[in-house]
Amino acid sequence: MSNQVDAAQHAAAYQHALDVSRRYFLGRCTGIGIGAIALAVLESANSRASFANSQEPSPIGLPSLPHHKPKAKNVIFLTQSGGPSQIELFDHKPGLIDLAGQELPDSVRQGQRLTTMTSNQKQLIMPPRTSFRRYGQSGATIGEWLPYHAEVADELCFIKSMVTDEINHAPAMTKFLTGHQLPGRPSLGAWASYGLGSENRNLPDYLVLISKMQRPSDQPLYDHYWGSGFLPSRYQGVKLRNAKEPVLYLRDPDGLPRDIRRSMLDSIAKMNEMRLEKTGDPEIETRIKQYEMAWRMQSSVPELNDLSDEPEETFELYGSDSRRPGSYAANCILARRLIERGVRFVQLFHPDWDHHSRLSSWCVARCRDTDQASAALVTDLKRRGLLDETLVVWGGEFGRGVAGQGEWNSPEGGRDHHPRCFTVWAAGGGIRSGMSYGATDDFSYNVVENPVHVRDLHATILHLLGIDHQRFTYRFQGLDFKLTGVEASRVVNEILV
Amino acid sequence: MSFTTRGAFAAFILSLPVFSPPTGELIAEEPTVRFSRDILPILSDRCFHCHGPDESHREADLRLDVHDEAIADRGGYSAIVPGMPDESEIISRVLTEDDDLLMPPPDSHRKPLTETEIQTLRSWIASGATWGKHWAFEPPIRLAVAENEPSKPIDALVRRRLSEVGMTPSPTASKSTLIRRASFDLIGLPPTAEEVDAFQRDTSDDAYEKLIDRLLQSPHHGERMAMWWLDVARYADTDGFQGDATRTNWPYRDWVVNAFHRNQPFDQFTIEQFAGDLLPEATPEQILATCFHRNHMTNGEGGRDPEESRIDYVIDRVNTTGTVWLGLTLGCTQCHSHKFDPISHQDYYSLFAFFNSIDEDGKAGDNAKPYLKYESPAADGAVAEAQAWSDRCIQSESEAKEAAQKGFGDWLSQRIASITNAESNFTPWTSPIIRSLDSNEGTVLTQEADGAIVASGPTLRQDDYRIVAQSDLPNITGFRIEVLRDDSLTDGKWTRGKDGIFILTNIKLQVRKVGDSQVREIDVDKATANIEVKVKGRNYGLVSDTLNDDPRNGWTLAEDTKSSLTPTAVFALSSSLTLAADEELILWMMHRSTEGDANIGRFRISLTDQPGLAVRSVDPMPIEELAKDVASEDLSDDSTSIEKQINTKLRERLVDQFLFDHPEFQAAKQVADSSRRHLASAKKAAGKLNVMVLGERKEPRETYVLQRGVWDQKGDAVTRGFPAAILPQANDRSLSRLDLATWLVDPQNPLTARVIVNHLWQIAFGDGLVRTPEDFGLQGEPPAHPDVLDWLAVELIESGWDVRHVLRMIVTSDTYKQRSETTATATEADPDNRMLARGARYRLPSWMIRDAALHSSGLLNATLGGPPVMPYQPPGVWEEIFMGRYTYEPSPGPAQYRRTLYAFWRRSSAPTFLFDSAQRRVCEVKTMRTNTPLHALTLLNDVGMLEAAAEIARRSIASHEKMDSQLTQLFRRILSRDPDAAELDVMRETLSTSVEHFAKLPDEARTLTSIGQAEPDGEADQVTENPAELAAFMIVASLVMNLDEAISHE
């Protein structure tokens, strides 16, 4: 990183920052006119005491949490946007080969809604475009487009019976990540950040990484996918950008030397202290702290983003694309680094899984982008002893239908959206490894065994983090909202260790 | 204690249905326990979830929200027996130790009742269990003020309450604080130094009132109020969902500013926004007002059922109405009857029916009818402004061109010299030194003696080739791929595959330091080929498609291509690349087509350092042509005569190429191009625009209760009607949106006036009297000063819904004028200042912080209205979301310095410099105030803030000669007061440290202070010869702008 201060300078600056805050503390304690309450605020600025009268918890989480002993400390959510095809990747239905080109029986379809893209065409069965094999001791079925997944099959738990209610991208992704199809609710990561905070004081609690692509995606990644909804905005995901400025406004302007910035921040703190004495407003104390945190982020984020201290074998493990900053593979390495630094929730997005046409070239391309690195992340976390406390989840907003879109037997063929079943996998953080859960019918169309609704997945993730989803609420507009909403939902205990 | 009753009220613009006047029934003595204040909140919070209005969740068939049912005999016992707490089941059930009987049940996770709460319930039952309504559903009552109380009713009522709780009000704030506070609240801008002086000098008794009147008359007051209303109206410039298409509804924004500027009565303001189209002889502006109910998001996602979207829009209108006018969470009743408030599922769809027959069909983008064709009177000003700016930029561009062309002769002579002096012929393309060749899937690549690279090994369906190369070119501007025929390939064509035709799906260029772990990606700007196919319906063909990640398109040739031409593609880099000695290039050639079996068999790679246009065309480069002419001795070899013999066409191409790489000219050209685009968009905005408005269908749609709120799950049919619990009205005729609006502002409606007055209070105090402005229902927070809220609500109605009058009452009260300083004891007693024993201190909304910076620096362009503008934003934000579909270009010239109100609002990416602002996706009425490091970074590093700091520095230096006066002036500009000695010390210290630093770094100082946009025709006023001094003052200005005080309402 061009704007990274060298290590010695960084250390010196950091020490200076510490000195400033220490001076500040000493100054305050002998200060005049500040009573007990202000001191209490100061001792624990940003901590529980100062939030005693509000709904807002401290950065180290709500005092009432966890509800029980957590299995997972952190989450890495590998979001595959667009709806990956479970039929080619995980949900093996060999019988479809014999049914190729036949019309999907109405008894299977059962009035399932179609998008207006295919509601006018015949529903002719398109068999999987690739072959499957069984892997590992668990004998997991995985399509041949995911050879690296095959190698870690015994670490993963495949939930083949995922269900959602939405059939279009934006509402489905909004539901997949916030529990409700309309924007405005907090995302899963925001809930986790709100409830549990993070141990890292130099980085936000919840970070979002988006693969750098070269084509305009058909499904924009809206920032409400990682938004805080009605929770205070500090809990929203902070997007790490693939730009000179990984966090907006992180970089000082050109021509401003770091030491001048430092002395300017010292002066701001000094004058804010004067104002604090005069007005007695404890918010000023928080402001001083946030300016210091901003200064620290200016070093910690570029340091985090700079992978040059990773050994060569890291890149070999994650694949050659990991050398390219902004790639999904590079983001997987970043995700591991964030977890190492105590960040609570990391969410990756890889776009363009929406394969309405030419599935057999487009889906393969997305597999190539993500297969090796996703598997490598699991391997890497495990060998570093981090997998036990880190929950990794892989999945998209819905699945794809068994009928071909376009000509089922031409290379042009693709698949339409399908909300009634799809596959998500999870690993680590209290999840049973080497298992498949739930099952679909012979057409990978309806769930026939152990359905897992998106809400159940949310309940389970919260459970692993030590949170009872029924009791984890936030009052807004007179109602106690929870991530899992008002309809029935459950923790999927069967997939837990 | 004496009371007044509410007086009679006039009918307004429209004739309203006739009502009996309000009864003004008053309570003479307050009983110790009041139902609405003390009892209802307990019942609501702990009991109503299962024993309330929602029948679907009702347990034991017991309702505690209805008097008769609560006391009904349930076979030997009753939940409540008036006068006999010990006989009342409700009391024994909250006291029992048996978990199976205990209420609320332990597994409901509702808090058990506290001792005090149980005691309250007991004494209420003991005193007869008098029933009442939730406070907000009772008519507001105006209490009288006694003679010995402060003459301003707000103050009298606040002080009554303060003395009840044993608190005393704070003294009045200083004049400089008062003018600053009132200016922010009423016009959203700080006062100028002159205004502060004038106010301080004015010692007349009514100096403050005069100040308030001046502010309320200012056109900026309309803008400030509009900023409130646009958040409420979820106003934005785009659709919000998939594609996020731009809409042109901004004339509605100007309508709002104007409505507040002319202080339109709030009832009329309501009526026009709900039903302007239904008014007799509606004016275009009245129809324009109905855009309020079209500001919801629209979804044009392919594959989505438009009817589902349409239902979403109707729901959004009902919910917005509920939040903004009624302060009720109607959204809850979309799916079921309200669990706490007396609004039923049926009520919801009766309201829904008012909006269900709009002549719309759920589409988005350009198909979101009904539209009003509207030409905005504000657009001409924007065109004139853009024209004037563009004229200046174009003038400066042509001057730059003229200046640049003076260098052309020398440049050309140099080129000719390099051609004629070169030992070998001029070589436009050179071969790189290949370091390694490999592939992902196993194709073997080898380089032959002539430089061509040949594929062998297995014949694969798909493969990615990786070519690692080095080059000693001083810089690289582009590369070329020639696809070569070979006899060994299929039919002597280009591949080993079935038909010999290649498909190249993607290329990628990277640079890597030898031995380094990471690569950096090199952006390719353009790809051009001499042969490609463009066949409709065929995805493969164009070479430009190799620049995306999509394997479903790419470069190929027609199967019958027999041309003897060598298929050649030229790729231009976005910017010239200079390789360090230890850096190497990595070129990826990906063959990932669906058809497969189309991997290139033989090819050659070359690089060039030829600038600009040369790599944007497959034609021979102009210099190449020149070299050829020289070599072929068409031209004599004397360089002067060569120059004269160059033909006109070649000469033009040479000039173009020269200018393409001339940095000064290119800089001027960029500015001019940007001004041209800005002018073009201003002109477009000056035409007839489509503004989304309301309009009824000829045939109304049937409305049904939607079961569980799901769009296609129709239940019973319903007709239009109003929730009886709020204000019943006979449904004896067919009702319209106009009736809905009239019902909302009916003086008998207990909610609307209270809710709006609460918003006005929030504008002046940062928080409402009810701190849940979106919820006046049973689960909302009760007001700390209910009597003040009611007094003002009645006043709003009786003043003829005069918003400005009520706002004036609020800001001229002594309560408002109190000092905001607090003491430890006061903070402890009332941390959130709910009792109002001191002035309000809180962080300003971020839009006000930006506007204040523009205003203090003198950069503000105070023009009112017109098309939206693009304030500075870090590059790439829109591009990231849409992967390049939308580009954000900051507005050039004076348009950059407009108020934030006019900033373009893309729903998928709200202006980045705003924080804690409403998201404008759905209606939001509560202010969010957080304190995070990201805010600090924004205020420290936003270009707009920094440019303002530089401008403040310039003006402060120019205004005085002595340093202390300069610093004082700078401080006053930002904070509206003089610094004290200690503050001046800190500024002096920062200034001298910075001057010292920058003196050693004059280039940095110049870079820093030239942030933002430059004047097209020359330097900004030269205020100091010394760049270090300017930079240091800029640092001090930025420092002061970042102080807590600068961004706080004090």
Side-chain angles (χ1 to χ4, degrees), chain B residues 8 40 77 344 372 450 485 521 532 638 684 717 837 941 987:
Chain B
L40 197 52
Y77 71 98
S344 70
L372 169 73
D450 66 349
R485 286 172 179 269
E521 203 136 23
E532 54 186 2
D638 164 40
K684 207 171 149 199
N941 290 335
M987 286 199 286

Side-chain angles (χ1 to χ4, degrees), chain B residues 86 266 297 350 459 553 575 578 730 837 1027:
Chain B
D86 291 329
F266 190 80
M297 297 195 281
S350 297
T459 306
N553 55 36
S575 55
T578 307

Side-chain angles (χ1 to χ4, degrees), chain B residues 789-803:
Chain B
L789 183 74
D790 276 15
W791 202 97
L792 290 173
V794 175
E795 184 68 18
L796 178 64
I797 297 169
E798 295 199 349
S799 65
W801 296 92
D802 186 339
V803 169

Side-chain angles (χ1 to χ4, degrees), chain B residues 530-797:
Chain B
N530 60 346
I531 328 173
E532 54 186 2
V533 281
K534 195 175 178 183
V535 182
K536 222 178 164 190
R538 185 170 160 80
N539 297 313
Y540 296 107
L542 300 181
V543 75
S544 56
D545 287 333
T546 57
L547 300 184
N548 59 37
D549 286 319
D550 194 340
R552 299 170 306 166
N553 55 36
W555 184 36
T556 192
L557 309 180
E559 273 171 43
D560 57 358
T561 302
K562 294 195 182 76
S563 163
S564 57
L565 279 174
T566 300
T568 302
V570 174
F571 299 86
L573 307 190
S574 296
S575 55
S576 166
L577 170 70
T578 307
L579 287 182
D582 59 348
E583 283 183 323
E584 56 194 16
L585 281 173
I586 304 169
L587 174 66
W588 289 91
M589 292 168 59
M590 304 181 178
H591 311 85
R592 295 184 174 186
S593 75
T594 314
E595 296 168 19
D597 214 15
N599 306 344
I600 293 173
R602 187 180 164 93
F603 61 98
R604 183 183 286 120
I605 305 292
S606 344
L607 304 174
T608 186
D609 61 351
Q610 288 300 301
L613 297 172
V615 285
R616 283 168 174 78
S617 150
V618 283
D619 296 339
M621 303 172 184
I623 306 277
E624 193 180 351
E625 209 175 310
L626 181 64
K628 216 167 76 190
D629 289 356
V630 172
S632 67
E633 292 171 23
D634 287 354
L635 305 173
S636 74
D637 54 1
D638 164 40
S639 76
T640 336
S641 61
I642 291 176
E643 275 189 56
K644 285 186 186 137
Q645 295 168 58
I646 296 171
N647 69 47
T648 328
K649 203 176 156 214
L650 178 57
R651 190 177 185 84
E652 270 172 25
R653 288 187 65 207
L654 286 163
V655 170
D656 283 349
Q657 171 145 2
F658 164 74
L659 287 175
F660 195 89
D661 291 291
H662 193 281
E664 287 83 16
F665 168 70
Q666 285 300 324
K669 180 171 182 295
Q670 264 178 27
V671 170
D673 284 346
S674 157
S675 79
R676 287 186 188 101
R677 286 190 292 271
H678 178 58
L679 177 60
S681 83
K683 282 183 174 162
K684 207 171 149 199
K688 280 215 185 285
L689 302 172
N690 275 337
V691 181
M692 297 158 71
V693 291
L694 298 179
E696 289 291 291
R697 273 160 63 102
K698 285 211 181 71
E699 282 300 309
R701 293 185 179 94
E702 282 293 321
T703 303
Y704 303 90
V705 171
L706 297 181
Q707 288 161 2
R708 290 175 48 241
V710 179
W711 68 283
D712 55 357
Q713 305 290 309
K714 291 175 182 167
D716 298 340
V718 290
T719 55
R720 294 173 179 177
F722 308 111
I726 301 171
L727 175 62
Q729 196 179 48
N731 281 9
D732 55 355
R733 60 196 174 91
S734 67
L735 298 169
S736 72
R737 276 184 277 121
L738 193 52
D739 298 299
L740 173 58
T742 315
W743 177 83
L744 288 170
V745 292
D746 186 323
Q748 300 266 18
N749 187 315
L751 288 165
T752 304
R754 277 188 174 118
V755 172
I756 296 305
V757 159
N758 194 54
H759 278 238
L760 298 177
W761 194 273
Q762 185 169 298
I763 284 173
F765 283 84
D767 282 301
L769 290 162
V770 175
R771 301 234 165 167
T772 51
E774 75 287 358
D775 189 8
F776 277 52
L778 275 75
Q779 292 296 96
E781 268 188 62
H785 290 280
D787 300 336
V788 178
L789 183 74
D790 276 15
W791 202 97
L792 290 173
V794 175
E795 184 68 18
L796 178 64
I797 297 169

